[in-house]
Amino acid sequence: MASPPGHRRASAPRQAAAAFLLALSCCCCFRGARPAPPRVPAVIVFGDSTVDTGNNNAIGTILKSNFAPYGRDMAGGPRPTGRFCNGRLPPDFISEALGLPPLVPAYLDPAYGIQDFARGVCFASAGTGLDNKTAGVLSVIPLWKEVEYFKEYQRRLRRHAGRARARRIVSDALYVVSIGTNDFLENYFLFVTGRFAEFTVAGFEDFLVAQAERFLAEIHRLGARRVTFAGLSPIGCLPLERTLNALRGGCVEEYNQVARDYNAKLLAMLRRLAASRPALKVAYINVYQNMLDLITDPSTLGLENVEEGCCATGKVEMSYLCNDKSPLTCEDAGKYFFWDSFHPTEKVNQFFAKKTLDLCYEQLF
């Protein structure tokens, strides 16, 4: 059949090229390409040292990290901000990926104001836990106080942005929660609070999960709608625990089993809570598996040492024991999983942030 007048039949090569481009675009759309970032007005953070961006600088505790060599690999040059890391933490990377500032400011940092907090704010405190007694061990901010700061933040936000916009910021924000390790390693298994005499290990797990549920119900009542909640890592594989387990060697498997049991209970609770509150979306972050994958196959991230921290000997040092006087601190933290004896390096934090974001796109956005 002849082509209509004025119409030129596409050549075979052009047709093939068009078909290829169409197939490529479909492949990109349906095989893992991430869509444009959703409109998330702020990242709001609760928890412990895994996400504390500097609140402990402002309180009377010995658990601080606002000195060298902490922050030595921050973009723009060394800057110890109070993050327990050589650089940034997961919430920072998440914020930047969502088109927000690359650093989530600590609520108690006087260098920031409500105009900054309107785009991201951190209430977390290193050393805290789901159990209020955990915070008392090192005189840090208990979780209930983090929630009080959140209420105060909302009052300030309403004055700054107006009631309607403040409500939208709070409801559309992404909430990042990482907490629980200290409840076991700094509290229950350290025998300093008496919880070991009040509860069996299983009973303490149940108690913590109930505390987590109450916390989530409260921030939901206050406006939170999209929440990521991290489970425990293999806490028996932290360098400090490996060091204390020197007689047997390796990870403390009893602690790892506790983490697995707690995580299973936490996940079951999160599913129940989400089912009973349709307006609340909660994504469980499987930190245990994410960390185990790297420990088992560190080459996937170019790591060479997953047993010791980069700072000092890497076996016991953290906070003031990790300082710039140590001649043993490694030169390239990018080869290490851990920065000090308890906390990951910036490289690993970026890996964790990506895992969290992937889950957010699957379940929350």
Side-chain angles (χ1 to χ4, degrees):
M1 180 177 177
S3 299
H7 177 80
R8 181 176 297 173
R9 184 187 300 273
S11 66
R14 285 180 181 274
Q15 288 177 324
F20 172 75
L21 290 173
L22 178 62
L24 183 61
S25 65
C26 290
C27 179
C28 289
C29 288
F30 296 106
R31 294 192 62 183
R34 182 176 288 169
R39 188 185 175 283
V40 176
V43 172
I44 298 177
V45 185
F46 295 91
D48 56 24
S49 59
T50 54
V51 290
D52 178 4
T53 60
N55 284 309
N56 275 21
N57 300 349
I59 63 174
T61 178
I62 62 169
L63 190 58
K64 298 179 185 288
S65 60
N66 56 340
F67 47 84
Y70 286 99
R72 74 171 195 188
D73 297 316
M74 292 286 282
R79 181 156 63 118
T81 60
R83 290 166 171 82
F84 280 79
C85 185
N86 60 307
R88 291 193 285 168
L89 302 182
D92 298 315
F93 289 108
I94 292 169
S95 177
E96 184 177 38
L98 294 173
L100 296 166
L103 296 176
V104 178
Y107 186 64
L108 299 184
D109 189 335
Y112 296 95
I114 190 60
Q115 67 276 9
D116 304 298
F117 300 144
R119 304 188 70 199
V121 63
C122 175
F123 303 108
S125 175
T128 201
L130 291 161
D131 182 3
N132 289 332
K133 285 193 174 184
T134 301
V137 175
L138 291 171
S139 300
V140 299
I141 303 168
L143 187 57
W144 68 264
K145 185 63 175 179
E146 292 187 26
V147 175
E148 289 301 307
Y149 283 139
F150 181 44
K151 294 176 184 177
E152 178 184 84
Y153 160 75
Q154 291 195 39
R155 292 192 293 271
R156 294 174 63 187
L157 191 62
R158 286 193 290 270
R159 290 195 296 270
H160 168 73
R163 201 168 277 274
R165 183 167 166 242
R167 188 183 305 112
R168 285 195 301 273
I169 291 171
V170 169
S171 63
D172 293 346
L174 175 65
Y175 292 77
V176 176
V177 184
S178 180
I179 196 168
T181 297
N182 298 316
D183 290 302
F184 290 101
L185 299 185
E186 183 187 306
N187 178 344
Y188 191 87
F189 291 126
L190 207 56
F191 309 133
V192 293
T193 66
R195 290 301 198 197
F196 70 96
E198 293 179 54
F199 297 101
T200 63
V201 175
F204 192 57
E205 293 164 4
D206 294 338
F207 169 74
L208 295 179
V209 169
Q211 296 297 106
E213 184 171 11
R214 277 192 282 273
F215 162 75
L216 286 168
E218 178 64 2
I219 65 169
H220 177 240
R221 185 186 69 81
L222 293 170
R225 295 295 179 265
R226 298 186 289 197
V227 183
T228 69
F229 202 107
L232 294 185
S233 70
I235 57 178
C237 292
L238 299 178
L240 178 61
E241 302 310 321
R242 287 178 182 266
T243 300
L244 297 176
N245 194 43
L247 291 178
R248 288 187 294 174
C251 301
V252 183
E253 180 52 34
E254 295 91 334
Y255 289 0
N256 287 348
Q257 183 61 57
V258 167
R260 290 193 294 270
D261 293 343
Y262 165 84
N263 287 343
K265 294 174 180 180
L266 176 67
L267 180 56
M269 180 275 289
L270 294 178
R271 286 172 173 165
R272 288 195 310 271
L273 188 67
S276 66
R277 296 171 182 263
L280 176 65
K281 294 181 178 180
V282 185
Y284 168 75
I285 309 302
N286 193 347
V287 180
Y288 192 101
Q289 193 59 51
N290 293 340
M291 177 172 163
L292 197 62
D293 288 345
L294 287 183
I295 290 177
T296 303
D297 189 8
S299 63
T300 59
L301 202 62
L303 304 177
E304 297 178 6
N305 190 325
V306 297
E307 297 183 2
E308 300 162 333
C310 165
C311 190
T313 67
K315 296 182 182 296
V316 297
E317 294 87 355
M318 178 179 65
S319 190
Y320 286 108
L321 294 178
C322 170
N323 58 66
D324 59 358
K325 305 300 181 186
S326 174
L328 300 176
T329 298
C330 77
E331 294 184 3
D332 185 1
K335 296 178 180 179
Y336 284 70
F337 185 106
F338 295 98
W339 165 245
D340 58 20
S341 68
F342 218 79
H343 304 98
T345 58
E346 179 182 64
K347 186 176 187 177
V348 172
N349 282 334
Q350 187 172 20
F351 171 82
F352 285 157
K354 182 183 182 302
K355 290 288 188 180
T356 298
L357 274 169
D358 288 344
L359 205 60
C360 286
Y361 277 94
E362 290 175 16
Q363 300 183 16
L364 300 185
F365 298 152

